[in-house]
Amino acid sequence: MSVVLTEKVLDDRALLITLNRPDARNAVNGQVAREMAAILDELDADPSLVVGIIRGEGRGFSAGMDLKAFLEGDVPMFEDRGFGGFAQRGPKTPLIAAIEGFAVAGGLEMALACDLIVAASDAKLGLPEVKRSLIAAGGGLLRLAQRIPYHVAAEIALTGDHVPVERLYQVGLVNRVAEPGRALEVALELAGQLVDNAPLALEGSKYVLENAADWGMQEGWKQQDPVMLRVNQSEDAREGATAFAERRAPVWRGR
């Protein structure tokens, strides 16, 4: 039985990915990691898909690592993709997390591995690892330190407490706050804005954004140039300019 389900949505231009272990609070085991990694490979390989949306079945997004499985030697990692099959190395295609209920520990780390986050206003988000003598080594500490003010990141990581979604929205970690029960609806609305854009430009923009902090400004100009040339010299770039001049919607080919 699959523990990660998929469905094409938004006229088959987006892939809805569902963590499907509701009885285990969508906790991540080795099977989840393997299936997620394979699905994200397929997402990148399908030129008709320009965005992925990840959600959890049942009451919440994910409670993180399946501790029972871990104690039995089942590691929730997959090769160089890391925790959950993508926390360390994600896809080239943009991802949106749609959070209802809770995204804690590794669940929040998977959400942080996405490019955009939509969360219900009553969702519980946090990194409680310190309460179990663990650290959030699935990217939680690394990404928080880059994306929000240090003292806010330190409070989240060192207290282990849940953080109100509204506060995470105020510091820029959450993109959209949805009414309870509407996180997926709002995430689909956000995805709808992405699918109208050119796939090569989306992929190239994500690549530069993800790596800019590591490159620094001077190196960044050098690294950005080949990405820019690949996108700007594409058929889609010509189509974008032509469609603008002809006052019509562009038809993207992904090449």
PDB file of all heavy atoms in Angstrom, residues 34-72:
ATOM      1  N   ARG A  34      11.280   6.800   0.663  1.00  0.00           N
ATOM      2  CA  ARG A  34      11.537   6.198  -0.650  1.00  0.00           C
ATOM      3  C   ARG A  34      10.475   6.606  -1.665  1.00  0.00           C
ATOM      4  O   ARG A  34      10.800   6.965  -2.809  1.00  0.00           O
ATOM      5  CB  ARG A  34      11.586   4.667  -0.523  1.00  0.00           C
ATOM      6  CG  ARG A  34      12.790   4.130   0.239  1.00  0.00           C
ATOM      7  CD  ARG A  34      12.887   2.628   0.147  1.00  0.00           C
ATOM      8  NE  ARG A  34      11.744   1.943   0.765  1.00  0.00           N
ATOM      9  CZ  ARG A  34      11.670   1.618   2.054  1.00  0.00           C
ATOM     10  NH1 ARG A  34      12.655   1.941   2.877  1.00  0.00           N
ATOM     11  NH2 ARG A  34      10.618   0.982   2.526  1.00  0.00           N
ATOM     12  N   GLU A  35       9.218   6.556  -1.257  1.00  0.00           N
ATOM     13  CA  GLU A  35       8.145   6.898  -2.195  1.00  0.00           C
ATOM     14  C   GLU A  35       8.182   8.383  -2.546  1.00  0.00           C
ATOM     15  O   GLU A  35       7.962   8.763  -3.706  1.00  0.00           O
ATOM     16  CB  GLU A  35       6.789   6.521  -1.597  1.00  0.00           C
ATOM     17  CG  GLU A  35       6.573   5.018  -1.523  1.00  0.00           C
ATOM     18  CD  GLU A  35       5.162   4.637  -1.114  1.00  0.00           C
ATOM     19  OE1 GLU A  35       4.253   5.513  -1.162  1.00  0.00           O
ATOM     20  OE2 GLU A  35       4.949   3.467  -0.732  1.00  0.00           O
ATOM     21  N   MET A  36       8.457   9.236  -1.558  1.00  0.00           N
ATOM     22  CA  MET A  36       8.526  10.676  -1.823  1.00  0.00           C
ATOM     23  C   MET A  36       9.657  10.985  -2.801  1.00  0.00           C
ATOM     24  O   MET A  36       9.481  11.775  -3.744  1.00  0.00           O
ATOM     25  CB  MET A  36       8.727  11.451  -0.532  1.00  0.00           C
ATOM     26  CG  MET A  36       8.764  12.965  -0.713  1.00  0.00           C
ATOM     27  SD  MET A  36       7.203  13.675  -1.264  1.00  0.00           S
ATOM     28  CE  MET A  36       6.282  13.666   0.284  1.00  0.00           C
ATOM     29  N   ALA A  37      10.822  10.371  -2.597  1.00  0.00           N
ATOM     30  CA  ALA A  37      11.952  10.610  -3.497  1.00  0.00           C
ATOM     31  C   ALA A  37      11.598  10.212  -4.930  1.00  0.00           C
ATOM     32  O   ALA A  37      11.909  10.940  -5.889  1.00  0.00           O
ATOM     33  CB  ALA A  37      13.173   9.834  -3.016  1.00  0.00           C
ATOM     34  N   ALA A  38      10.944   9.069  -5.099  1.00  0.00           N
ATOM     35  CA  ALA A  38      10.573   8.613  -6.437  1.00  0.00           C
ATOM     36  C   ALA A  38       9.549   9.547  -7.077  1.00  0.00           C
ATOM     37  O   ALA A  38       9.630   9.862  -8.272  1.00  0.00           O
ATOM     38  CB  ALA A  38      10.010   7.188  -6.361  1.00  0.00           C
ATOM     39  N   ILE A  39       8.599  10.019  -6.283  1.00  0.00           N
ATOM     40  CA  ILE A  39       7.569  10.929  -6.800  1.00  0.00           C
ATOM     41  C   ILE A  39       8.190  12.250  -7.240  1.00  0.00           C
ATOM     42  O   ILE A  39       7.827  12.813  -8.280  1.00  0.00           O
ATOM     43  CB  ILE A  39       6.484  11.154  -5.729  1.00  0.00           C
ATOM     44  CG1 ILE A  39       5.615   9.898  -5.606  1.00  0.00           C
ATOM     45  CG2 ILE A  39       5.627  12.382  -6.053  1.00  0.00           C
ATOM     46  CD1 ILE A  39       4.734   9.879  -4.376  1.00  0.00           C
ATOM     47  N   LEU A  40       9.125  12.761  -6.464  1.00  0.00           N
ATOM     48  CA  LEU A  40       9.749  14.035  -6.827  1.00  0.00           C
ATOM     49  C   LEU A  40      10.639  13.895  -8.049  1.00  0.00           C
ATOM     50  O   LEU A  40      10.776  14.841  -8.836  1.00  0.00           O
ATOM     51  CB  LEU A  40      10.522  14.596  -5.634  1.00  0.00           C
ATOM     52  CG  LEU A  40       9.643  14.963  -4.431  1.00  0.00           C
ATOM     53  CD1 LEU A  40      10.486  15.511  -3.294  1.00  0.00           C
ATOM     54  CD2 LEU A  40       8.559  15.955  -4.819  1.00  0.00           C
ATOM     55  N   ASP A  41      11.240  12.725  -8.236  1.00  0.00           N
ATOM     56  CA  ASP A  41      11.973  12.472  -9.477  1.00  0.00           C
ATOM     57  C   ASP A  41      11.016  12.529 -10.672  1.00  0.00           C
ATOM     58  O   ASP A  41      11.338  13.094 -11.724  1.00  0.00           O
ATOM     59  CB  ASP A  41      12.652  11.105  -9.438  1.00  0.00           C
ATOM     60  CG  ASP A  41      13.933  11.108  -8.615  1.00  0.00           C
ATOM     61  OD1 ASP A  41      14.487  12.203  -8.374  1.00  0.00           O
ATOM     62  OD2 ASP A  41      14.377  10.008  -8.206  1.00  0.00           O
ATOM     63  N   GLU A  42       9.839  11.932 -10.498  1.00  0.00           N
ATOM     64  CA  GLU A  42       8.826  11.943 -11.560  1.00  0.00           C
ATOM     65  C   GLU A  42       8.315  13.358 -11.810  1.00  0.00           C
ATOM     66  O   GLU A  42       8.063  13.743 -12.963  1.00  0.00           O
ATOM     67  CB  GLU A  42       7.676  11.015 -11.186  1.00  0.00           C
ATOM     68  CG  GLU A  42       8.069   9.537 -11.139  1.00  0.00           C
ATOM     69  CD  GLU A  42       6.981   8.659 -10.545  1.00  0.00           C
ATOM     70  OE1 GLU A  42       5.875   9.180 -10.286  1.00  0.00           O
ATOM     71  OE2 GLU A  42       7.238   7.455 -10.343  1.00  0.00           O
ATOM     72  N   LEU A  43       8.160  14.122 -10.748  1.00  0.00           N
ATOM     73  CA  LEU A  43       7.716  15.507 -10.885  1.00  0.00           C
ATOM     74  C   LEU A  43       8.701  16.292 -11.744  1.00  0.00           C
ATOM     75  O   LEU A  43       8.297  17.030 -12.657  1.00  0.00           O
ATOM     76  CB  LEU A  43       7.593  16.145  -9.497  1.00  0.00           C
ATOM     77  CG  LEU A  43       7.268  17.645  -9.436  1.00  0.00           C
ATOM     78  CD1 LEU A  43       5.891  17.933 -10.026  1.00  0.00           C
ATOM     79  CD2 LEU A  43       7.342  18.141  -7.979  1.00  0.00           C
ATOM     80  N   ASP A  44       9.978  16.138 -11.475  1.00  0.00           N
ATOM     81  CA  ASP A  44      10.999  16.849 -12.257  1.00  0.00           C
ATOM     82  C   ASP A  44      11.060  16.364 -13.696  1.00  0.00           C
ATOM     83  O   ASP A  44      11.393  17.127 -14.609  1.00  0.00           O
ATOM     84  CB  ASP A  44      12.375  16.679 -11.606  1.00  0.00           C
ATOM     85  CG  ASP A  44      12.610  17.640 -10.453  1.00  0.00           C
ATOM     86  OD1 ASP A  44      11.858  18.619 -10.328  1.00  0.00           O
ATOM     87  OD2 ASP A  44      13.552  17.404  -9.673  1.00  0.00           O
ATOM     88  N   ALA A  45      10.745  15.094 -13.906  1.00  0.00           N
ATOM     89  CA  ALA A  45      10.883  14.516 -15.242  1.00  0.00           C
ATOM     90  C   ALA A  45       9.691  14.824 -16.152  1.00  0.00           C
ATOM     91  O   ALA A  45       9.792  14.647 -17.369  1.00  0.00           O
ATOM     92  CB  ALA A  45      11.058  12.995 -15.134  1.00  0.00           C
ATOM     93  N   ASP A  46       8.590  15.286 -15.575  1.00  0.00           N
ATOM     94  CA  ASP A  46       7.379  15.546 -16.360  1.00  0.00           C
ATOM     95  C   ASP A  46       7.321  17.031 -16.730  1.00  0.00           C
ATOM     96  O   ASP A  46       7.041  17.874 -15.873  1.00  0.00           O
ATOM     97  CB  ASP A  46       6.142  15.159 -15.551  1.00  0.00           C
ATOM     98  CG  ASP A  46       4.861  15.202 -16.379  1.00  0.00           C
ATOM     99  OD1 ASP A  46       4.827  15.922 -17.400  1.00  0.00           O
ATOM    100  OD2 ASP A  46       3.885  14.539 -15.988  1.00  0.00           O
ATOM    101  N   PRO A  47       7.571  17.385 -17.993  1.00  0.00           N
ATOM    102  CA  PRO A  47       7.610  18.799 -18.371  1.00  0.00           C
ATOM    103  C   PRO A  47       6.257  19.500 -18.282  1.00  0.00           C
ATOM    104  O   PRO A  47       6.196  20.731 -18.282  1.00  0.00           O
ATOM    105  CB  PRO A  47       8.109  18.759 -19.827  1.00  0.00           C
ATOM    106  CG  PRO A  47       7.729  17.401 -20.318  1.00  0.00           C
ATOM    107  CD  PRO A  47       7.842  16.498 -19.134  1.00  0.00           C
ATOM    108  N   SER A  48       5.179  18.737 -18.176  1.00  0.00           N
ATOM    109  CA  SER A  48       3.852  19.360 -18.072  1.00  0.00           C
ATOM    110  C   SER A  48       3.553  19.843 -16.656  1.00  0.00           C
ATOM    111  O   SER A  48       2.632  20.636 -16.451  1.00  0.00           O
ATOM    112  CB  SER A  48       2.772  18.366 -18.516  1.00  0.00           C
ATOM    113  OG  SER A  48       2.635  17.302 -17.589  1.00  0.00           O
ATOM    114  N   LEU A  49       4.337  19.369 -15.689  1.00  0.00           N
ATOM    115  CA  LEU A  49       4.112  19.741 -14.287  1.00  0.00           C
ATOM    116  C   LEU A  49       5.082  20.850 -13.884  1.00  0.00           C
ATOM    117  O   LEU A  49       6.296  20.701 -14.039  1.00  0.00           O
ATOM    118  CB  LEU A  49       4.305  18.524 -13.381  1.00  0.00           C
ATOM    119  CG  LEU A  49       3.286  17.395 -13.555  1.00  0.00           C
ATOM    120  CD1 LEU A  49       3.739  16.156 -12.802  1.00  0.00           C
ATOM    121  CD2 LEU A  49       1.911  17.840 -13.059  1.00  0.00           C
ATOM    122  N   VAL A  50       4.555  21.949 -13.355  1.00  0.00           N
ATOM    123  CA  VAL A  50       5.420  23.077 -13.008  1.00  0.00           C
ATOM    124  C   VAL A  50       5.433  23.393 -11.520  1.00  0.00           C
ATOM    125  O   VAL A  50       6.208  24.244 -11.072  1.00  0.00           O
ATOM    126  CB  VAL A  50       5.037  24.343 -13.803  1.00  0.00           C
ATOM    127  CG1 VAL A  50       5.247  24.128 -15.286  1.00  0.00           C
ATOM    128  CG2 VAL A  50       3.588  24.747 -13.543  1.00  0.00           C
ATOM    129  N   VAL A  51       4.625  22.700 -10.727  1.00  0.00           N
ATOM    130  CA  VAL A  51       4.632  22.925  -9.279  1.00  0.00           C
ATOM    131  C   VAL A  51       4.069  21.699  -8.577  1.00  0.00           C
ATOM    132  O   VAL A  51       3.234  20.979  -9.123  1.00  0.00           O
ATOM    133  CB  VAL A  51       3.798  24.189  -8.910  1.00  0.00           C
ATOM    134  CG1 VAL A  51       2.344  24.020  -9.321  1.00  0.00           C
ATOM    135  CG2 VAL A  51       3.894  24.508  -7.418  1.00  0.00           C
ATOM    136  N   GLY A  52       4.568  21.450  -7.366  1.00  0.00           N
ATOM    137  CA  GLY A  52       4.037  20.381  -6.528  1.00  0.00           C
ATOM    138  C   GLY A  52       3.457  20.964  -5.254  1.00  0.00           C
ATOM    139  O   GLY A  52       3.966  21.965  -4.737  1.00  0.00           O
ATOM    140  N   ILE A  53       2.385  20.363  -4.749  1.00  0.00           N
ATOM    141  CA  ILE A  53       1.772  20.782  -3.488  1.00  0.00           C
ATOM    142  C   ILE A  53       1.777  19.579  -2.556  1.00  0.00           C
ATOM    143  O   ILE A  53       1.303  18.500  -2.930  1.00  0.00           O
ATOM    144  CB  ILE A  53       0.322  21.267  -3.678  1.00  0.00           C
ATOM    145  CG1 ILE A  53       0.264  22.410  -4.693  1.00  0.00           C
ATOM    146  CG2 ILE A  53      -0.285  21.713  -2.357  1.00  0.00           C
ATOM    147  CD1 ILE A  53      -0.559  22.099  -5.896  1.00  0.00           C
ATOM    148  N   ILE A  54       2.321  19.728  -1.361  1.00  0.00           N
ATOM    149  CA  ILE A  54       2.392  18.623  -0.405  1.00  0.00           C
ATOM    150  C   ILE A  54       1.436  18.894   0.756  1.00  0.00           C
ATOM    151  O   ILE A  54       1.438  19.988   1.337  1.00  0.00           O
ATOM    152  CB  ILE A  54       3.825  18.440   0.124  1.00  0.00           C
ATOM    153  CG1 ILE A  54       4.783  18.137  -1.035  1.00  0.00           C
ATOM    154  CG2 ILE A  54       3.884  17.304   1.144  1.00  0.00           C
ATOM    155  CD1 ILE A  54       6.232  17.945  -0.604  1.00  0.00           C
ATOM    156  N   ARG A  55       0.627  17.906   1.094  1.00  0.00           N
ATOM    157  CA  ARG A  55      -0.318  17.996   2.198  1.00  0.00           C
ATOM    158  C   ARG A  55      -0.305  16.690   2.975  1.00  0.00           C
ATOM    159  O   ARG A  55       0.317  15.708   2.545  1.00  0.00           O
ATOM    160  CB  ARG A  55      -1.738  18.249   1.679  1.00  0.00           C
ATOM    161  CG  ARG A  55      -2.262  17.106   0.824  1.00  0.00           C
ATOM    162  CD  ARG A  55      -3.682  17.335   0.359  1.00  0.00           C
ATOM    163  NE  ARG A  55      -4.641  17.251   1.447  1.00  0.00           N
ATOM    164  CZ  ARG A  55      -5.234  16.125   1.844  1.00  0.00           C
ATOM    165  NH1 ARG A  55      -4.943  14.964   1.256  1.00  0.00           N
ATOM    166  NH2 ARG A  55      -6.102  16.132   2.823  1.00  0.00           N
ATOM    167  N   GLY A  56      -0.988  16.684   4.102  1.00  0.00           N
ATOM    168  CA  GLY A  56      -1.124  15.471   4.886  1.00  0.00           C
ATOM    169  C   GLY A  56      -2.574  15.026   4.947  1.00  0.00           C
ATOM    170  O   GLY A  56      -3.469  15.864   5.075  1.00  0.00           O
ATOM    171  N   GLU A  57      -2.806  13.731   4.865  1.00  0.00           N
ATOM    172  CA  GLU A  57      -4.154  13.179   4.996  1.00  0.00           C
ATOM    173  C   GLU A  57      -4.559  13.151   6.471  1.00  0.00           C
ATOM    174  O   GLU A  57      -3.728  12.941   7.343  1.00  0.00           O
ATOM    175  CB  GLU A  57      -4.187  11.755   4.421  1.00  0.00           C
ATOM    176  CG  GLU A  57      -5.559  11.103   4.419  1.00  0.00           C
ATOM    177  CD  GLU A  57      -6.549  11.859   3.555  1.00  0.00           C
ATOM    178  OE1 GLU A  57      -6.197  12.242   2.419  1.00  0.00           O
ATOM    179  OE2 GLU A  57      -7.682  12.066   4.027  1.00  0.00           O
ATOM    180  N   GLY A  58      -5.822  13.423   6.731  1.00  0.00           N
ATOM    181  CA  GLY A  58      -6.298  13.346   8.107  1.00  0.00           C
ATOM    182  C   GLY A  58      -6.152  14.646   8.859  1.00  0.00           C
ATOM    183  O   GLY A  58      -6.368  15.727   8.318  1.00  0.00           O
ATOM    184  N   ARG A  59      -5.769  14.552  10.122  1.00  0.00           N
ATOM    185  CA  ARG A  59      -5.819  15.705  11.023  1.00  0.00           C
ATOM    186  C   ARG A  59      -4.651  16.673  10.897  1.00  0.00           C
ATOM    187  O   ARG A  59      -4.719  17.780  11.421  1.00  0.00           O
ATOM    188  CB  ARG A  59      -5.909  15.214  12.471  1.00  0.00           C
ATOM    189  CG  ARG A  59      -7.198  14.483  12.803  1.00  0.00           C
ATOM    190  CD  ARG A  59      -7.189  14.018  14.232  1.00  0.00           C
ATOM    191  NE  ARG A  59      -6.095  13.067  14.476  1.00  0.00           N
ATOM    192  CZ  ARG A  59      -5.708  12.684  15.687  1.00  0.00           C
ATOM    193  NH1 ARG A  59      -6.273  13.201  16.762  1.00  0.00           N
ATOM    194  NH2 ARG A  59      -4.727  11.805  15.825  1.00  0.00           N
ATOM    195  N   GLY A  60      -3.561  16.261  10.253  1.00  0.00           N
ATOM    196  CA  GLY A  60      -2.413  17.159  10.217  1.00  0.00           C
ATOM    197  C   GLY A  60      -1.461  16.858   9.082  1.00  0.00           C
ATOM    198  O   GLY A  60      -1.599  15.863   8.353  1.00  0.00           O
ATOM    199  N   PHE A  61      -0.468  17.734   8.927  1.00  0.00           N
ATOM    200  CA  PHE A  61       0.542  17.610   7.878  1.00  0.00           C
ATOM    201  C   PHE A  61       1.475  16.444   8.186  1.00  0.00           C
ATOM    202  O   PHE A  61       1.483  15.442   7.482  1.00  0.00           O
ATOM    203  CB  PHE A  61       1.314  18.927   7.782  1.00  0.00           C
ATOM    204  CG  PHE A  61       2.315  18.989   6.670  1.00  0.00           C
ATOM    205  CD1 PHE A  61       1.913  19.214   5.367  1.00  0.00           C
ATOM    206  CD2 PHE A  61       3.677  18.848   6.929  1.00  0.00           C
ATOM    207  CE1 PHE A  61       2.837  19.285   4.326  1.00  0.00           C
ATOM    208  CE2 PHE A  61       4.611  18.915   5.912  1.00  0.00           C
ATOM    209  CZ  PHE A  61       4.191  19.133   4.599  1.00  0.00           C
ATOM    210  N   SER A  62       2.252  16.558   9.247  1.00  0.00           N
ATOM    211  CA  SER A  62       3.114  15.450   9.672  1.00  0.00           C
ATOM    212  C   SER A  62       3.670  15.726  11.063  1.00  0.00           C
ATOM    213  O   SER A  62       4.029  16.856  11.384  1.00  0.00           O
ATOM    214  CB  SER A  62       4.279  15.242   8.697  1.00  0.00           C
ATOM    215  OG  SER A  62       5.183  14.255   9.193  1.00  0.00           O
ATOM    216  N   ALA A  63       3.749  14.646  11.849  1.00  0.00           N
ATOM    217  CA  ALA A  63       4.333  14.733  13.182  1.00  0.00           C
ATOM    218  C   ALA A  63       5.830  14.464  13.166  1.00  0.00           C
ATOM    219  O   ALA A  63       6.470  14.407  14.217  1.00  0.00           O
ATOM    220  CB  ALA A  63       3.645  13.745  14.120  1.00  0.00           C
ATOM    221  N   GLY A  64       6.410  14.290  11.976  1.00  0.00           N
ATOM    222  CA  GLY A  64       7.856  14.092  11.889  1.00  0.00           C
ATOM    223  C   GLY A  64       8.244  12.628  11.836  1.00  0.00           C
ATOM    224  O   GLY A  64       7.508  11.782  11.332  1.00  0.00           O
ATOM    225  N   MET A  65       9.400  12.315  12.351  1.00  0.00           N
ATOM    226  CA  MET A  65       9.937  10.957  12.261  1.00  0.00           C
ATOM    227  C   MET A  65       9.082   9.964  13.017  1.00  0.00           C
ATOM    228  O   MET A  65       8.631  10.228  14.131  1.00  0.00           O
ATOM    229  CB  MET A  65      11.370  10.926  12.812  1.00  0.00           C
ATOM    230  CG  MET A  65      12.032   9.566  12.737  1.00  0.00           C
ATOM    231  SD  MET A  65      13.796   9.600  13.129  1.00  0.00           S
ATOM    232  CE  MET A  65      13.770  10.095  14.866  1.00  0.00           C
ATOM    233  N   ASP A  66       8.884   8.793  12.414  1.00  0.00           N
ATOM    234  CA  ASP A  66       8.183   7.691  13.074  1.00  0.00           C
ATOM    235  C   ASP A  66       9.155   7.063  14.070  1.00  0.00           C
ATOM    236  O   ASP A  66      10.026   6.285  13.693  1.00  0.00           O
ATOM    237  CB  ASP A  66       7.731   6.668  12.021  1.00  0.00           C
ATOM    238  CG  ASP A  66       6.859   5.579  12.621  1.00  0.00           C
ATOM    239  OD1 ASP A  66       7.038   5.245  13.803  1.00  0.00           O
ATOM    240  OD2 ASP A  66       5.992   5.065  11.881  1.00  0.00           O
ATOM    241  N   LEU A  67       8.997   7.427  15.338  1.00  0.00           N
ATOM    242  CA  LEU A  67       9.955   6.986  16.354  1.00  0.00           C
ATOM    243  C   LEU A  67       9.909   5.479  16.575  1.00  0.00           C
ATOM    244  O   LEU A  67      10.945   4.849  16.821  1.00  0.00           O
ATOM    245  CB  LEU A  67       9.692   7.725  17.671  1.00  0.00           C
ATOM    246  CG  LEU A  67       9.943   9.232  17.633  1.00  0.00           C
ATOM    247  CD1 LEU A  67       9.565   9.864  18.970  1.00  0.00           C
ATOM    248  CD2 LEU A  67      11.407   9.534  17.313  1.00  0.00           C
ATOM    249  N   LYS A  68       8.723   4.875  16.485  1.00  0.00           N
ATOM    250  CA  LYS A  68       8.622   3.428  16.653  1.00  0.00           C
ATOM    251  C   LYS A  68       9.393   2.715  15.545  1.00  0.00           C
ATOM    252  O   LYS A  68      10.133   1.768  15.808  1.00  0.00           O
ATOM    253  CB  LYS A  68       7.159   3.003  16.644  1.00  0.00           C
ATOM    254  CG  LYS A  68       6.355   3.480  17.845  1.00  0.00           C
ATOM    255  CD  LYS A  68       4.914   2.996  17.760  1.00  0.00           C
ATOM    256  CE  LYS A  68       4.112   3.490  18.952  1.00  0.00           C
ATOM    257  NZ  LYS A  68       2.682   3.055  18.857  1.00  0.00           N
ATOM    258  N   ALA A  69       9.223   3.183  14.319  1.00  0.00           N
ATOM    259  CA  ALA A  69       9.946   2.571  13.207  1.00  0.00           C
ATOM    260  C   ALA A  69      11.448   2.789  13.354  1.00  0.00           C
ATOM    261  O   ALA A  69      12.246   1.884  13.084  1.00  0.00           O
ATOM    262  CB  ALA A  69       9.457   3.153  11.876  1.00  0.00           C
ATOM    263  N   PHE A  70      11.833   3.977  13.803  1.00  0.00           N
ATOM    264  CA  PHE A  70      13.250   4.299  13.969  1.00  0.00           C
ATOM    265  C   PHE A  70      13.903   3.363  14.982  1.00  0.00           C
ATOM    266  O   PHE A  70      15.021   2.880  14.775  1.00  0.00           O
ATOM    267  CB  PHE A  70      13.403   5.752  14.408  1.00  0.00           C
ATOM    268  CG  PHE A  70      14.830   6.163  14.647  1.00  0.00           C
ATOM    269  CD1 PHE A  70      15.699   6.388  13.601  1.00  0.00           C
ATOM    270  CD2 PHE A  70      15.307   6.316  15.946  1.00  0.00           C
ATOM    271  CE1 PHE A  70      17.016   6.765  13.831  1.00  0.00           C
ATOM    272  CE2 PHE A  70      16.611   6.694  16.182  1.00  0.00           C
ATOM    273  CZ  PHE A  70      17.475   6.923  15.125  1.00  0.00           C
ATOM    274  N   LEU A  71      13.216   3.075  16.094  1.00  0.00           N
ATOM    275  CA  LEU A  71      13.752   2.190  17.120  1.00  0.00           C
ATOM    276  C   LEU A  71      13.910   0.760  16.613  1.00  0.00           C
ATOM    277  O   LEU A  71      14.701  -0.016  17.154  1.00  0.00           O
ATOM    278  CB  LEU A  71      12.855   2.210  18.361  1.00  0.00           C
ATOM    279  CG  LEU A  71      12.867   3.523  19.153  1.00  0.00           C
ATOM    280  CD1 LEU A  71      11.822   3.486  20.257  1.00  0.00           C
ATOM    281  CD2 LEU A  71      14.256   3.790  19.736  1.00  0.00           C
ATOM    282  N   GLU A  72      13.187   0.436  15.547  1.00  0.00           N
ATOM    283  CA  GLU A  72      13.293  -0.897  14.940  1.00  0.00           C
ATOM    284  C   GLU A  72      14.306  -0.921  13.793  1.00  0.00           C
ATOM    285  O   GLU A  72      14.428  -1.917  13.081  1.00  0.00           O
ATOM    286  CB  GLU A  72      11.916  -1.340  14.433  1.00  0.00           C
ATOM    287  CG  GLU A  72      10.904  -1.547  15.557  1.00  0.00           C
ATOM    288  CD  GLU A  72       9.498  -1.794  15.032  1.00  0.00           C
ATOM    289  OE1 GLU A  72       9.326  -1.759  13.788  1.00  0.00           O
ATOM    290  OE2 GLU A  72       8.592  -2.028  15.849  1.00  0.00           O
TER     291      GLU A  72
END
